[in-house]
Every structure is written in C-alpha cells, then in structure tokens.
Amino acid sequence: MSGGATVHVVGAGLAGLSCAVRLVGRGVKVVVYEASSRAGGRCRSFHDRVLDRLIDNGNHILLAGNRAVNEYLAAIGATDALTTIRPACFPFLDLESGERWEIRPNTGRLPWWLLVPARRPPGLGLRDLMAVRALATLPHRWPLGVALHCSPAALRRFWEPLAVAVLNTPFAEGDARLLWEVMRETFLRGEEACRPRLAPHGLGAAFVAPAEAHLRARGGEIRFATPVRGIEFSGSRASGLGFDGEVAALGPADQVILAVPPRNARRLLPELQVPMRMRAIINGHFLIGEPRPEGGRFLGLIGGFAQWVFVRGDVASVTISAGDAIADLPNQEIAARMWNDVSRALGITDRALPPHRIVKEKTATIDQTPASVVFRPPAATRWCNVTMAGDWTDTGLPATVEGAIRSGFLAADRVTTSN
Ligand SMILES: Cc1cc2nc3c(=O)[nH]c(=O)nc-3n(C[C@H](O)[C@H](O)[C@H](O)COP(=O)(O)OP(=O)(O)OC[C@H]3O[C@@H](n4cnc5c(N)ncnc54)[C@H](O)[C@@H]3O)c2cc1C
C-alpha cells in the first residue's frame, strides 16, 4: 500500500479486529467503524444484572490447533487469556442411560485412541470413527446425512454432537466438507491440536479488550456507534463511505474491508450474493451458588434438551446449537428445561431453578448446508478497493472464531500486497 493511504475496516467483530491488528502491525493507518457501542460482535462479554456476573453471549470453545486464533492472541498479547485443557479430553454424559465417557485422542498423528475403548464412546466400532475418511475425498458438496455412514450409536454419541457444535446446523443437513476441514486441522493431527481452549475470564478479556488496546497503542482508531450506511462508487472503485448525515470521501489509495454479517454486507453491496439463512444458538446461564469441582471445564450432554454445559466459577452455562426450533419458546420454558438437564449433570437435582439469563442469538451463524455455503463470497469483490471478511465468507472453514480471524488476516494480506 502507498504511504498515507488508510484502510477503513467496517465492523469490529473478530474478523474486523484481526484484520486491523495485522494491518497496524505492518504500519498501515487503520480506522475501524463499528455500528454498536462495543467491539466483539458475536463473541463478547457483558455484565448481567440478574446474575451480577460477567457472562459471555454464548459459550465459545476453541481448539489448540486453531492456528489463526493462536497467532491473533500472540499478536495482541493475550495468549494466556485462554486456558488449555491438557491432555485433550471431551467428557460426555448420556442423560437417558446415565453412562459417562470421555473422548481422549492420543499424541502423534497415528490415531490409536480409536482402538482403545476407554478413549472412545461406548458402543462404537473402529469403522464408525474411520467413517471420517469418506469425507476426505468427496467429489461434491454433500450433506453429512448422505456422505457419512455410521451406526446409530456412533451418530448419537460422536458424529451428531460434534457436527452440530461445529456447523450449528442439524447433522443430516450439515456440509460434509466443512466438517472434514475441522477434523483435518484438529482431530487428525493428534492430541495437541485438539486440546480444548476456554476463556476463563470471558471472551471480552481474551479476544476484544487486548485487541482494542493493541490497536490504539499503534495509532489505530475505532469509532463506535458509527454504522456505515452506504458506499459510493466511481468507476471500479469505492469512492466514499456514507455515515448518518455525511459522506466521507475515500483517498485514491484507500481501501475498504467489509467485515459485517451477510445481510449487512448485502445492504452495502447489493449485487453481492450471500448465504441468507441464519441459524440460532441458545445459551442459558445459571447462578449455581458456589464454585464447582468441575470449574473451568465442560461436559457434553446426550439425549436431553441441553447439549453442552460449561462451568465457570459459580455460573453453569448451557449451549444449544442449531436451536432454531426452540428460539421462539418463552425464556422461562427454555430455562426450566435446561435446568432439568444441568441439575442432573451436576448432581444437584434438589435445587430449584436458580437466577438465570437466557441469551438467544437467532443469527449466530450462517446455515452451513451445501445449499447455503455455495453463496459464501470470496475476499475479492468486483470493486478493486473493497475486500470482504467475516466468518461467513468463503474461508473453507465453518463459521467459527478461527474462520473469522483467518478471513481478517486474509483481507489484511490482500490489501497490503495488492497495491
Ligand atoms: C452463541 C454463539 C456461540 C458460538 N460458539 C462458538 C464456538 O464455540 N467456537 C467458535 O469458534 N465460534 C463460535 N461462535 C461463532 C463466532 O462467534 C463467530 O464466528 C465470530 O464471532 C464471527 O465474527 P465476525 O467478525 O465474522 O462477525 P461479527 O461478530 O458478527 O462482527 C460483525 C460486526 O460488524 C458490525 N456491523 C454490522 N453492520 C455494520 C455497519 N453497517 N457498520 C459498522 N459496523 C457494522 C456488527 O455490529 C458486529 O460488531 C459462536 C457464535 C455465537 C453467536
């Protein structure tokens, strides 16, 4: 990029922040515009008045093999803001049968853990887990229900919970290739790459506040409550950004990164094709009274209403992915049904429903079916100084933190190498 040019980053979610972080690291002048009053987008913390606790909009789980996440945290000085569960362990409870088990991959690339019953869900054969190989060579984008053949036990105890958590889409409809990419970058690289990573002091303290401080310390600017309402074009370039009541002209070498969700992007670039269907994730946070022995950990739940429970301090938080069918239920009903599962999982069924907060993220991610993901756009647009970023763009990965950050890095690379 030529000196004196500015990169205008629209959206201060993790895609926009990671893009800005990489750019200021290269000495580029950056201004970030954020519509809301805070950064973080779909990955944020807030103080909840009912619980009087700092909670996250939703539980986020990262894996140690998420290389863009690692690079981002290192850049903003927040590597220690995530705790890593080592050795990698994914504990489960079947609420119907009462069985508990753990998935414990081994070190090294040869996955001998599949041969050890104590390291894999009960009732699963080796063939059930090796079904993943079929995903490696798919000729087309296929839904998992067509691409992956396994026993009912394997579906219930391994593939379904994994795929729904990763793709936020019902198992049978989920895009097989996207799940394969995650398996390839984590589970198939051995124990170290699939160590779960959690944010014990909240997502804001890990991903957002250090990035804001990092940007400001390097001359980057973040303007909150500043939605970009429109983009003006001239020839093949964007020539101005429209804000409430004014249009700011872009310099001849200025660049624009659009790091906003799909519908917002489409409002700014109407010719853009985007995946329009979104999927919900429902979270419930329960004040359980005292810190628990499983603090800082999580548990997968099978056969219930809740799918995952995370314990942080004296708050137990429940996640239900692909939760569209329940998103319109009254909060009280959702809370009661979640608590029924959580209290059983934690062995505190004698407790009445405690103070709680239900957070419905109705547009948590794009629908990740083959029919939707074909509309993910690449980073490049037909405008020579407009680049796309965001978890929903065509990163090759599912819409996750890793995908969002990778898209931000890619956008930064594109604008710093194209001029
Ligand atoms: C409940 C929940 C649980 C999740 N769990 C996980 C998990 O366990 N693991 C995982 O890896 N991922 C998880 N995710 C996904 C992850 O949070 C997202 O992939 C990631 O945060 C998306 O970042 P983004 O920057 O692409 O988009 P966003 O976070 O949506 O950021 C876009 C930003 O643009 C702003 N904006 C929009 N329009 C404009 C405009 N016109 N002008 C200026 N600003 C604008 C928005 O306010 C927002 O801040 C979860 C998501 C949710 C909601």
Side-chain angles (χ1 to χ4, degrees):
M1 282 193 68
S2 56
T6 299
V7 178
H8 304 265
V9 178
V10 186
L14 295 187
L17 289 175
S18 56
C19 178
V21 163
R22 180 162 279 189
L23 289 170
V24 295
R26 293 179 180 167
V28 176
K29 184 165 182 251
V30 177
V31 182
V32 182
Y33 307 95
E34 168 54 45
S36 71
S37 57
R38 63 175 77 181
R42 282 170 279 151
C43 182
R44 64 187 186 280
S45 306
F46 61 96
H47 182 264
D48 181 73
R49 276 182 289 119
V50 174
L51 305 186
D52 191 20
R53 296 286 182 280
L54 184 82
I55 59 174
D56 295 333
N57 64 318
N59 300 308
H60 278 57
I61 190 163
L62 291 307
L63 295 175
N66 293 151
R67 53 190 161 82
V69 168
N70 298 340
E71 201 178 324
Y72 172 75
L73 293 175
I76 61 175
T79 298
D80 295 340
L82 294 187
T83 50
T84 305
I85 296 175
R86 58 179 70 143
C89 178
F90 297 82
F92 281 88
L93 165 65
D94 189 324
L95 288 163
E96 281 175 7
S97 68
E99 283 170 285
R100 288 180 186 264
W101 67 88
E102 292 175 345
I103 295 175
R104 289 189 293 123
N106 58 276
T107 31
R109 280 175 187 251
L110 199 64
W112 54 260
W113 65 276
L114 300 175
L115 301 169
V116 182
R119 286 177 174 266
R120 65 183 202 218
L124 265 72
L126 185 58
R127 195 191 293 175
D128 287 324
L129 297 163
M130 294 306 281
V132 70
R133 283 182 314 178
L135 307 185
T137 52
L138 291 177
H140 305 289
R141 287 209 166 271
W142 278 0
L144 282 163
V146 175
L148 201 134
H149 301 279
C150 62
S151 66
L155 180 64
R156 175 182 159 87
R157 297 185 160 183
F158 186 75
W159 288 111
E160 187 166 30
L162 177 76
V164 171
V166 168
L167 300 177
N168 190 31
T169 298
F171 170 84
E173 299 165 44
D175 184 80
R177 198 177 287 170
L178 288 179
L179 184 64
W180 165 251
E181 283 306 318
V182 173
M183 298 299 286
R184 197 171 64 81
E185 294 197 4
T186 56
F187 273 84
L188 297 178
R189 285 177 50 220
E191 182 272 327
E192 268 187 56
C194 46
R195 290 176 183 165
R197 303 192 77 202
L198 302 169
H201 305 295
L203 298 168
F207 289 99
V208 185
E212 288 184 50
H214 179 91
L215 291 177
R216 291 210 177 89
R218 284 155 187 79
E221 203 187 319
I222 309 184
R223 298 185 192 164
F224 291 110
T226 310
V228 171
R229 299 290 188 197
I231 304 179
E232 292 197 342
F233 297 97
S234 167
S236 62
R237 302 181 59 80
S239 54
L241 291 181
F243 299 96
D244 288 329
E246 59 156 347
V247 174
L250 295 173
D254 283 4
Q255 293 277 344
V256 178
I257 311 287
L258 278 189
V260 300
R263 282 167 197 261
N264 309 58
R266 192 168 174 150
R267 257 175 245 135
L268 296 171
L269 289 185
E271 81 275 9
L272 194 72
Q273 288 220 312
V274 304
M276 291 299 278
R277 181 167 185 189
M278 302 296 285
R279 293 271 185 190
I281 300 181
I282 315 299
N283 274 263
H285 305 272
F286 299 86
L287 195 61
I288 52 177
E290 75 278 342
R292 299 270 315 172
E294 54 278 80
R297 298 246 154 187
F298 65 93
L299 178 66
L301 300 176
I302 306 291
F305 182 68
Q307 294 168 350
W308 299 88
V309 54
F310 294 70
V311 179
R312 191 164 92 198
D314 58 1
V315 175
S317 299
V318 173
T319 296
I320 300 179
S321 295
D324 307 81
I326 62 161
D328 291 326
L329 292 179
N331 285 358
Q332 201 56 24
E333 181 180 340
I334 292 176
R337 290 175 69 181
M338 282 181 169
W339 181 246
N340 184 41
D341 290 352
V342 175
S343 59
R344 284 165 66 200
L346 300 182
I348 47 175
T349 43
D350 52 331
R351 307 257 187 97
L353 178 64
H356 56 269
R357 166 70 64 191
I358 301 298
V359 182
K360 294 175 174 173
E361 290 274 14
K362 291 190 177 179
T363 57
T365 69
I366 53 167
D367 170 57
Q368 298 182 79
T369 58
S372 285
V373 299
V374 291
F375 292 111
R376 297 174 93 186
T381 68
R382 77 183 179 94
W383 311 102
C384 61
N385 61 343
V386 180
T387 299
M388 303 300 304
D391 65 345
W392 60 278
T393 59
D394 191 11
T395 60
L397 293 175
T400 54
V401 169
E402 175 69 8
I405 293 178
R406 225 181 268 187
S407 78
F409 284 166
L410 183 71
D413 291 345
R414 198 168 173 275
V415 300
T416 43
T417 53
S418 64
N419 283 11

